[in-house]
Amino acid sequence: MGKLKTIARRSFLIGSAAIVGGVAFGAYLVKRDPENPLALDATDADAVFNPWVKINAEGITLVTPHTDLGQGAASMQAMLIAEELDVNLDQVTTSYGRPAAAYYNTAMAGEAVPFRSNDDSFVAGVARSTVDAVMKVMGAQVTGGSSSVTDSYEKLRQAGAMARETLKAAAAAETGLPISDLKTEGGAVVLPDGTRMAYTTLAAKAAQMDLVQDVALRDPSQWRLVGKPVQRMDVVAKSTGTQTYGIDLNIEGMVLASVRMNPRKGAPMRGFDATAAETMRGVSQIVALPYGVAVVADNTWRAFRALEEIEIDWAEAPYPAEQDDHWAAVAASFTPDRLDKEWRSDGDVEAAFEGAEVFEAEYRAPYVAHQPLEPLSAIVKVTDDRVDIWAAHQMPRFVQQRVAKRLEMDEEQIHFHNQYAGGSFGHRLEFINIDVAVDVADKMRGTAVKMIFRREEDFTQDFTRQIGMARGRGAFEGGKITALDLEIATVSSSRSQMARLGSSVPGPDMQIVAGAWNMRYSVPNLRVRGYAVPELAPTSSWRSVGASSAGFFAESFLDELIHAAGADPMEERLRLADDPDARAVLEAVAEMSNWGSPLGPRKGRGVALVTSFGVPVAEVVEVTDTDDGIKIDRVWLAAEVGRVVDPVTFENVATGGVIWALGHAMNSEITYSDGQAEQDNYHLSEGMRLRQCPVIEVRALENNPHVRGIGEPPVPPAAAALANAIFAATGTRLRDMPFFNTVDFV
Amino acid sequence: MKLNVDGKSHEVDVEDDMPLLWVLRDELGITGVKYGCGIAQCGACTVHIDGVAVRSCQTAAGDVDGAITTIEGLGTPDALHAVQDAWITHQVAQCGYCQSGQIMQAASLLGENTAPTDAEIDEAMDGNLCRCGTYPRIRAAVKTAAAKLQGA
């Protein structure tokens, strides 16, 4: 095609870069736009306006590079483009496109710098733009950190507007009418006489035009789609069994496979005997791998069954075999040499404690597995000059780079076809399904291999949430909190994860204290320190990452102090809150829950406020202490997100975040024995089931100019709000998750 | 052996103890039925045999003695079952992976009891795990479907 393609070709192709840190680059490189991946295989008939919009005679394709993990990312991205492009959602198809640097995440930098998210100072801004430059040069296409909305909000509306204005210019060139006389609506340019020129018929002309880049975004008051309750694009397919997930794909000629890896994660296999499995019906191949054995068969169940008949000698775990030793390692890490960083130091806590009655408490957060309902799978076909991979993943470019390295091929030879995911919660940031499928397919070149993990394998290999403890000391006077000192020791899930990416975390790990160090309270004397426990069992990002544990610690301890001081948990938090957004979400849940109104006997309310991923979230939980155990009756949530793009999904995902958090805080943990996770299926790690689900009411506040995502922020306050409610109802303080080890739930 | 699935008759050559789930998915290519846990703990594999919900991961193919209905046979995008219609109205799905099983469980419940109480809904649906946490919408959609079926 014409000019559009020329612009794309001038751009600089980013080569393979290190994942994190140590990237040398000049300012000239940062300023260059990554090339438009849609231009790579475009013909003269394809108008590829930018990396997100492609129109030709056949139709309108919107590229939605953020992976849909169930959080509605595909619809949300399509809505933003469609809003300015003036198309309806039923007129477009969405595609993940190919992995590309052009889809680098412009929003992750916000949470990767050691500044509070409400810090808009010059220094914080410089830090964010520096990290953003690294993300751009790396071409880091990442779905994570609740950043999809933030990344997309302006960029995708711009993409839609540029395409629309270019289409109008094409229509003007065709008709000789001035652009100012043209309107757009429903996928067509509309002439003054009402004649409609469909975008699809204008595409070939538009492909020859100069791209109109100077566009103004519409005022929100004019929006048709954004902020409105529209139907999610995938909801019909997901209600009729016709949504295809990675595990459902059928590639011609593929074989079916499954694997047993050393349940002592990361350790090798010493040897095996597959004599019995070899002759089982449907089994075509037994594949020995350094870390386990795969069975290739003509039916998934036959592969599963054959795996069970293989005798395997596993090497010992590279971490303590028994759970008690994991806890002991955490408890032993509150030492000066394990101090990762002192993140917050307001006033002087030590001075405040002198002569005061010091209140102390200790908390625990266990390992927890991700376990989305679609088991890990991947389809891989390796040939001598090309690799194709079909799977759902949150970091498509990293899959490409990783497989290229593993097979000693060029990145351009690795073709990753991203898929809809049956959940993730951070699980699909890891690569074991890709690695195993690639290793088996590499031994069967020319044949596509579909690798499906048994649920038990998926559980056993899960890189869980971090394990951690906290120790709090505090003081109060006259009913007011005067000093709060929180020490948090966890393994570093970020370092564990980065190590598997062949990289490292530069500097201290902010996730150890996320949700605690950035608490939006002014306590006269406040200190938060993070301690890095040496690597134990491998861990990774679990929905809301560090804040899932540190938020629980901070808001549980604050609540204990407030009760000890004889103050009201809501009133005292409101008094301490030092930020208008924090106060607003507290006031909202106080109003929603009718905080302070009398409750019946054996009932209690608890509140918590945690800011994560830039979103302050307050939650109130109301429970009843019944004869059969604790029943969670109601939950209210308020979150400051700047603006809600998709209100239906906002409500659904925020509610789901509460359920996720409560269910795991109540019922789930991973413990190790003999170096293996003791929980290998849902009956041993249940999360929440429907009978335990409370009535949940959520409210979005839209006061802040920063637009934020809602995938993770509802999670951190929930466990603390529940523990605080149970204390209010029963007088029993729950300091260790999961709570079902201490109390019964209905 | 012969299986009747979604109104069609199939001849399959499988072991008697192969779970129905894997006959449907790998032998017949009906992927709307999902593998979740393999031990009847999640309900993602739920199908009907003569209108009654069963966990296909724990139903041996050789034991099937009735007509099998999967999510793909219950209704289609162009001809929705009342439960599917309610699921769309309420926009229940997030990742959607459990919803085939949820819908089949709900359709089975409403086949036996067109006016379930809240407690009956909770009891019938409790074995179907949703990791995304769509339970409040599931409850609401079951009630909408029930109302629609009563009116029909």
Side-chain angles (χ1 to χ4, degrees):
Chain A
M1 66 179 290
K3 295 275 186 185
L4 295 180
K5 199 165 181 180
T6 311
I7 289 165
R9 278 190 184 138
R10 273 208 309 270
S11 301
F12 190 89
L13 179 64
I14 308 271
S16 57
I19 305 295
V20 159
V23 184
F25 58 90
Y28 73 94
L29 186 54
V30 177
K31 284 182 186 142
R32 296 206 185 209
D33 284 327
E35 75 170 34
N36 181 354
L38 294 179
L40 295 175
D41 51 9
T43 70
D44 283 351
D46 296 325
V48 288
F49 301 91
N50 47 55
W52 299 275
V53 184
K54 172 180 165 176
I55 303 180
N56 57 27
E58 280 74 55
I60 301 168
T61 304
L62 307 184
V63 176
T64 59
H66 284 287
T67 313
D68 202 306
L69 310 161
Q71 84 287 41
S75 274
M76 177 276 293
Q77 293 171 92
M79 282 166 73
L80 288 166
I81 302 171
E83 184 69 61
E84 290 282 349
L85 184 56
D86 280 339
V87 293
N88 302 323
L89 293 180
D90 60 6
Q91 293 178 304
V92 303
T93 53
T94 64
S95 162
Y96 284 132
R98 64 173 82 203
Y103 304 124
Y104 92 96
N105 188 320
T106 60
M108 290 202 81
E111 280 297 304
V113 296
F115 294 91
R116 291 167 67 180
S117 51
N118 57 348
D119 182 346
D120 287 326
S121 68
F122 176 74
V123 178
V126 168
R128 289 185 190 113
S129 59
T130 303
V131 175
D132 182 65
V134 174
M135 297 291 286
K136 181 175 181 180
V137 170
M138 285 165 41
Q141 182 185 352
V142 179
T143 303
S146 297
S147 63
S148 297
V149 166
T150 311
D151 177 40
S152 305
Y153 183 65
E154 283 205 13
K155 188 165 76 179
L156 297 193
R157 283 183 295 141
Q158 290 273 4
M162 287 182 196
R164 180 196 70 220
E165 291 303 314
T166 306
L167 286 157
K168 279 164 72 178
E174 294 247 311
T175 61
L177 291 163
I179 290 181
S180 56
D181 284 0
L182 304 177
K183 298 198 178 337
T184 49
E185 188 268 328
V189 176
V190 184
L191 308 185
D193 66 358
T195 306
R196 296 175 67 86
M197 301 178 80
Y199 290 169
T200 47
T201 61
L202 282 168
K205 178 70 180 175
Q208 307 306 318
M209 306 293 295
D210 283 319
L211 181 68
V212 179
Q213 299 200 57
D214 186 19
V215 294
L217 294 181
R218 289 182 178 137
D219 187 81
S221 63
Q222 296 176 275
W223 287 345
R224 302 168 295 123
L225 299 170
V226 176
K228 305 289 192 295
V230 302
Q231 182 171 299
R232 255 175 81 149
M233 295 177 77
D234 53 7
V235 78
V236 173
K238 287 178 173 178
S239 306
T240 52
T242 52
Q243 175 70 56
T244 301
Y245 300 86
I247 201 169
D248 300 327
L249 273 183
N250 183 31
I251 302 300
E252 202 183 335
M254 74 181 184
V255 292
L256 301 165
S258 191
V259 70
R260 275 175 69 196
M261 300 170 68
N262 192 333
R264 296 157 184 157
K265 281 173 262 204
M269 174 177 70
R270 290 201 190 108
F272 72 102
D273 177 357
T275 312
E278 278 165 0
T279 57
M280 290 175 72
R281 180 174 171 185
V283 173
S284 58
Q285 210 159 326
I286 309 285
V287 181
L289 302 159
Y291 44 79
V293 186
V295 170
V296 181
D298 60 357
N299 179 294
T300 309
W301 174 74
R302 290 183 182 131
F304 287 1
R305 199 169 62 157
L307 281 173
E308 289 164 12
E309 300 303 318
I310 302 175
E311 302 281 332
I312 309 180
D313 180 16
W314 301 119
E316 296 303 317
Y319 48 82
E322 302 302 322
Q323 185 62 30
D324 285 351
D325 295 324
H326 292 241
W327 286 119
V330 178
S333 295
F334 293 90
T335 59
D337 64 309
R338 301 307 313 172
L339 179 64
D340 200 46
K341 185 174 172 175
E342 179 172 295
W343 287 90
R344 181 101 172 245
S345 186
D346 304 345
D348 184 342
V349 288
E350 296 297 348
F353 289 147
E354 271 174 38
E357 187 186 342
V358 179
F359 185 92
E360 296 186 45
E362 185 175 285
Y363 305 86
R364 290 182 179 208
Y367 295 119
V368 193
H370 301 78
Q371 295 308 299
L373 201 57
E374 181 196 4
L376 287 176
S377 71
I379 303 174
V380 178
K381 182 176 181 181
V382 179
T383 63
D384 290 343
D385 57 1
R386 178 185 172 106
V387 178
D388 284 275
I389 303 161
W390 295 266
H393 204 276
Q394 296 178 239
M395 304 197 291
R397 290 252 303 155
F398 292 178
V399 172
Q400 254 186 331
Q401 291 162 2
R402 185 179 184 90
V403 174
K405 200 173 167 188
R406 202 169 184 91
L407 296 178
E408 295 176 335
M409 293 170 81
D410 295 331
E411 266 177 57
E412 290 71 28
Q413 294 175 292
I414 314 298
H415 299 265
F416 179 66
H417 313 279
N418 208 1
Q419 302 297 315
Y420 265 73
S424 182
F425 318 111
H427 204 35
R428 297 176 204 279
L429 288 163
E430 295 287 346
F431 300 88
I432 50 169
N433 51 328
I434 310 278
D435 290 349
V436 175
V438 165
D439 288 351
V440 175
D442 187 32
K443 297 194 179 201
M444 302 180 68
R445 289 200 173 201
T447 301
V449 176
K450 182 196 258 190
M451 169 66 58
I452 296 180
F453 279 44
R454 295 172 304 144
R455 174 59 59 192
E456 290 80 5
E457 194 67 30
D458 200 324
F459 253 95
T460 309
Q461 298 299 328
D462 196 308
F463 299 113
T464 68
R465 195 258 304 274
Q466 67 281 350
I467 186 176
M469 291 173 63
R471 290 174 181 167
R473 295 190 300 157
F476 47 85
E477 203 178 314
K480 294 175 177 172
I481 310 303
T482 54
L484 195 161
D485 183 25
L486 194 62
E487 297 178 283
I488 300 173
T490 75
V491 293
S492 169
S493 61
S494 308
R495 288 188 187 125
S496 186
Q497 192 175 353
M498 283 299 150
R500 287 187 295 280
L501 282 166
S503 187
S504 59
V505 177
D509 178 9
M510 190 163 58
Q511 288 302 324
I512 293 172
V513 293
W517 82 280
N518 55 332
M519 64 174 81
R520 294 190 181 183
Y521 298 123
S522 283
V523 177
N525 305 286
L526 172 62
R527 182 166 64 181
V528 179
R529 288 177 288 180
Y531 297 85
V533 180
E535 173 88 344
L536 297 166
T539 54
S540 190
S541 296
W542 185 89
R543 193 175 187 176
S544 80
V545 200
S548 72
S549 45
F552 167 68
F553 301 149
E555 280 290 314
S556 294
F557 184 60
L558 176 65
D559 204 71
E560 291 211 53
L561 274 182
I562 292 172
H563 278 284
D568 177 80
M570 184 69 77
E571 293 302 318
E572 181 64 357
R573 278 179 175 83
L574 278 165
R575 190 186 71 79
L576 293 170
D578 63 359
D579 163 275
D581 293 337
R583 260 197 302 280
V585 293
L586 282 170
E587 284 164 354
V589 289
E591 184 239 315
M592 292 161 78
S593 66
N594 204 8
W595 184 275
S597 64
L599 284 169
R602 300 173 75 180
K603 284 179 177 285
R605 292 191 191 103
V607 59
L609 163 71
V610 180
T611 302
S612 61
F613 308 93
V615 180
V617 179
E619 293 173 27
V620 169
V621 172
E622 194 174 292
V623 302
T624 304
D625 178 28
T626 76
D627 291 338
D628 298 321
I630 300 289
K631 178 175 182 296
I632 306 177
D633 299 315
R634 304 281 301 263
V635 179
W636 297 268
L637 172 152
E640 170 54 60
V641 292
R643 187 174 288 279
V644 175
V645 170
D646 177 346
V648 173
T649 297
F650 175 90
E651 197 277 343
N652 205 347
V653 170
T655 300
V658 170
I659 291 168
W660 173 265
L662 293 176
H664 292 95
M666 292 156 68
N667 301 326
S668 290
E669 66 181 328
I670 294 293
T671 54
Y672 288 90
S673 181
D674 194 23
Q676 310 177 27
E678 294 184 289
Q679 297 76 15
D680 69 354
N681 213 318
Y682 292 119
H683 61 301
L684 298 172
S685 176
E686 248 185 344
M688 186 178 278
R689 288 190 179 273
L690 187 131
R691 74 174 183 284
Q692 293 186 318
C693 185
V695 174
I696 301 168
E697 190 186 328
V698 306
R699 183 185 294 178
L701 305 188
E702 301 180 283
N703 300 317
N704 195 288
H706 297 291
V707 176
R708 311 279 194 185
I710 199 64
E712 294 165 281
V715 174
L722 174 59
N724 298 345
I726 292 171
F727 176 78
T730 67
T732 300
R733 176 57 69 174
L734 301 180
R735 299 192 178 98
D736 300 342
M737 296 191 284
F739 302 145
F740 78 165
N741 288 332
T742 313
V743 297
D744 291 330
F745 290 93
V746 173
Chain B
M1 67 183 74
K2 267 196 165 53
L3 292 176
N4 186 301
V5 186
D6 295 335
K8 282 188 211 151
S9 189
H10 299 270
E11 181 72 39
V12 291
D13 174 21
V14 298
E15 300 86 326
D16 277 353
D17 59 344
M18 181 180 284
L20 177 60
L21 168 67
W22 296 109
V23 181
L24 296 172
R25 283 186 61 86
D26 285 0
E27 304 296 319
L28 301 178
I30 301 171
T31 54
V33 187
K34 301 304 186 198
Y35 166 56
C37 70
I39 59 166
Q41 287 296 308
C42 78
C45 67
T46 304
V47 301
H48 293 178
I49 296 179
D50 291 337
V52 177
V54 299
R55 305 294 188 233
S56 66
C57 76
Q58 289 296 306
T59 303
D63 291 343
V64 175
D65 59 356
I68 300 157
T69 306
T70 76
I71 183 74
E72 297 181 29
L74 185 73
T76 63
D78 295 327
L80 297 167
H81 183 275
V83 174
Q84 292 171 318
D85 194 35
W87 247 248
I88 291 165
T89 301
H90 286 273
Q91 303 219 46
V92 173
Q94 288 185 38
C95 90
Y97 194 79
C98 73
Q99 301 298 350
S100 291
Q102 304 277 5
I103 289 166
M104 295 310 286
Q105 188 68 33
S108 174
L109 166 68
L110 297 178
E112 296 164 5
N113 178 358
T114 53
T117 63
D118 288 0
E120 286 168 339
I121 292 171
D122 279 16
E123 192 187 337
M125 303 302 295
D126 196 52
N128 288 73
L129 194 63
C130 173
R131 299 288 289 155
C132 300
T134 63
Y135 298 131
R137 284 171 188 249
I138 288 171
R139 283 176 174 147
V142 172
K143 288 181 185 174
T144 296
K148 189 166 179 187
L149 287 168
Q150 282 163 28

